[in-house]
Amino acid sequence: MFVRIGSVAVMAIGLLLAALVPPLALAETESSRPLLAFAARIAGDEARTRVVIHFEERPDFSVHYIDSPQRVVVDLPATAFGFPREDLAARGLFEDIRYGAMDEESARIVLTAKRPVQLSLAEVQQGENGEFRLVLDAEMTTPDVFAKLVGQQAWQGGTGQMPDEVASQADDGSFVVAVDAGHGGIDTGAIGAVTKTPEKAITLAFAQALAERLADRPGVRAVLTRNGDTFLSLSERVTLARQAGADLFLSLHADTLSQKDIRGATVYTLSDRASDRMAENLAARENLSDQLAGVSLKDEPPEVADILLDLTRRETQVLSVTLANNVIQSFEGQVGLINNAHRYAGFQVLRAPDIPSVLLELGFLSNPEDEKLLADEKWRAKVSDLLVDAVLRYRDRVFAGGG
């Protein structure tokens, strides 16, 4: 039995189908269309490296770790990688970076590391123009921590947080002081005018003495960035302090000057503009430490400096000045100080984003009297005790203020 449909009815049905079919087809096309990663950049060194990938739409992602070799693997939905390969060329912590499709529905980024690493940050950020950025901040870690990450695989989603067990290692309720013995290994630092003792030996002996005295105080824990004659890049020193959960960072030095009559201790804090020519020259020499060992940031893109500067927060700088003033107050009348004992300059080792930091010049190896004191065990003990008092007064003042 056939039913005749009028022309008006046919037209209505046609319009209805025209209204329904195209959106369904379009929806199917959009759902199967891969994400577009249209730009990428990488910056950093062998202590910290940042990878940023730009997407047109928000990407879902997951992270896991694989050993032998040590790799960080980022899984994504189907993704078209539309940026030049050289924009994501391996550098910093990574010796190889590969990316591409796994199948029709997924893609993967594999970052092969030079040393054990962990992601301190992995998150998607929305830009001002509506694009999305996948930001991966990698930092060096210990083999034990990396092994735990591999074994637990506790961090699978893009939460931007570390596994609780790993993150809590440094959080035992103590007031943590990172003691940084300047120089080390191939970087000898200054050389004594009389005894020819290298600065790296002076700073290590002093750091060990200070750490022992800090450890004797209840509620205080001292961590050494190095406990032997090893080279650490400036970035490694900062990263080790942050990983230890340090509340303070003290970098110890004993430099030389062309004016051999100048002697006494100096306390430096960070500033982009140096307080004086001597501070500017000293910072320039200390910042060359990496280049002496063949670790140079001169080839890094400008954004590296921007990242470091952005991480330097005003509150941290205020606390750094407070710490410097406490050290000077403890030294006054007890330890020789140069004129204007608190100075400032652009020391890279003081650029920890969230740790009040000072660089302490204990004296000058170019001055015979200072050199003699720097090598004296009793003098080291005296100065260490004064520094402990300065640290405890700083702690009590900050805690009293709710810090």
Side-chain angles (χ1 to χ4, degrees):
M1 179 178 180
F2 295 95
V3 178
R4 181 172 291 176
I5 302 176
S7 59
V8 175
V10 171
M11 184 179 295
I13 293 173
L15 291 172
L16 179 61
L17 290 174
L20 292 176
V21 174
L24 291 174
L26 179 61
E28 181 180 354
T29 301
E30 287 181 344
S31 65
S32 60
R33 187 181 67 185
L35 294 172
L36 174 61
F38 62 88
R41 65 183 188 273
I42 179 171
D45 53 28
E46 295 194 6
R48 295 177 296 163
T49 303
R50 167 170 285 191
V51 175
V52 181
I53 302 176
H54 294 255
F55 292 83
E56 285 189 332
E57 302 172 49
R58 179 181 292 274
D60 293 324
F61 73 98
S62 63
V63 174
H64 59 279
Y65 299 84
I66 302 176
D67 207 350
S68 301
Q70 295 156 340
R71 287 160 288 170
V72 179
V73 177
V74 182
D75 282 322
L76 295 161
T79 301
F81 296 95
F83 49 81
R85 184 164 292 275
E86 57 267 24
D87 288 358
L88 201 54
R91 68 186 306 143
L93 280 165
F94 301 111
E95 63 183 11
D96 185 60
I97 299 177
R98 301 188 182 191
Y99 51 88
M102 295 295 291
D103 52 40
E104 293 183 354
E105 297 181 353
S106 64
R108 174 169 287 183
I109 303 170
V110 180
L111 304 125
T112 302
K114 299 176 182 177
R115 62 193 300 180
V117 298
Q118 64 182 10
L119 294 185
S120 58
L121 176 70
E123 67 179 20
V124 175
Q125 303 170 353
Q126 186 167 8
E128 295 179 357
N129 298 323
E131 83 281 5
F132 294 89
R133 300 186 299 267
L134 173 60
V135 181
L136 306 172
D137 280 350
E139 64 183 25
M140 67 180 194
T141 190
T142 64
D144 288 344
V145 169
F146 187 83
K148 285 185 178 181
L149 291 170
V150 172
Q152 295 172 343
Q153 293 298 310
W155 184 25
Q156 294 295 320
T159 61
Q161 296 178 354
M162 293 167 55
D164 291 342
E165 183 173 338
V166 177
S168 64
Q169 287 182 344
D171 186 14
D172 59 4
S174 299
F175 186 80
V176 182
V177 183
V179 183
D180 176 50
H183 307 281
I186 193 173
D187 176 20
T188 59
I191 301 296
V194 178
T195 65
K196 307 304 179 184
T197 303
E199 182 183 2
K200 66 178 183 179
I202 296 290
T203 59
L204 180 60
F206 197 98
Q208 291 169 331
L210 176 59
E212 288 177 4
R213 282 165 170 74
L214 286 167
D216 288 339
R217 299 302 180 102
V220 177
R221 181 161 59 89
V223 293
L224 291 165
T225 57
R226 69 177 179 97
N227 199 18
D229 186 18
T230 56
F231 174 80
L232 291 173
S233 71
L234 301 174
S235 185
E236 284 177 316
R237 296 170 188 272
V238 174
T239 302
L240 287 169
R242 295 187 66 230
Q243 289 180 344
D247 297 291
L248 289 181
F249 180 85
L250 304 175
S251 189
L252 306 176
H253 292 261
D255 216 297
T256 57
L257 295 173
S258 57
Q259 306 97 316
K260 300 187 184 303
D261 59 324
I262 296 180
R263 59 175 303 197
T266 320
V267 187
Y268 291 92
T269 53
L270 177 67
S271 174
D272 293 327
R273 181 174 298 177
S275 57
D276 54 84
R277 181 61 61 85
M278 190 177 86
E280 182 179 13
N281 292 338
L282 180 62
R285 289 201 302 274
E286 294 297 346
N287 292 344
L288 283 174
S289 175
D290 287 355
Q291 293 188 32
L292 292 174
V295 181
S296 174
L297 289 181
K298 64 182 180 181
D299 295 327
E300 297 291 342
E303 63 195 297
V304 176
D306 293 339
I307 292 170
L308 292 172
L309 290 173
D310 289 342
L311 290 173
T312 306
R313 295 199 295 264
R314 180 175 300 178
E315 181 181 2
T316 301
Q317 289 307 102
V318 170
L319 292 174
S320 297
V321 171
T322 300
L323 174 60
N325 290 336
N326 273 271
V327 172
I328 291 171
Q329 289 171 11
S330 290
F331 281 10
E332 284 178 342
Q334 302 291 324
V335 176
L337 295 165
I338 70 169
N339 293 332
N340 303 317
H342 175 206
R343 303 189 181 201
Y344 45 87
F347 293 92
Q348 290 292 333
V349 78
L350 299 183
R351 292 189 182 274
D354 48 1
I355 310 173
S357 306
V358 301
L359 186 148
L360 173 60
E361 285 287 347
L362 298 161
F364 294 100
L365 284 171
S366 49
N367 180 275
E369 288 81 9
D370 267 5
E371 182 184 8
K372 184 177 180 179
L373 289 176
L374 288 166
D376 185 82
E377 185 175 351
K378 292 182 178 179
W379 186 84
R380 285 200 300 266
K382 173 184 177 181
V383 176
S384 294
D385 287 336
L386 294 173
L387 273 175
V388 170
D389 290 341
V391 167
L392 294 180
R393 284 190 290 107
Y394 169 90
R395 180 195 62 176
D396 294 343
R397 177 175 177 178
V398 170
F399 283 1

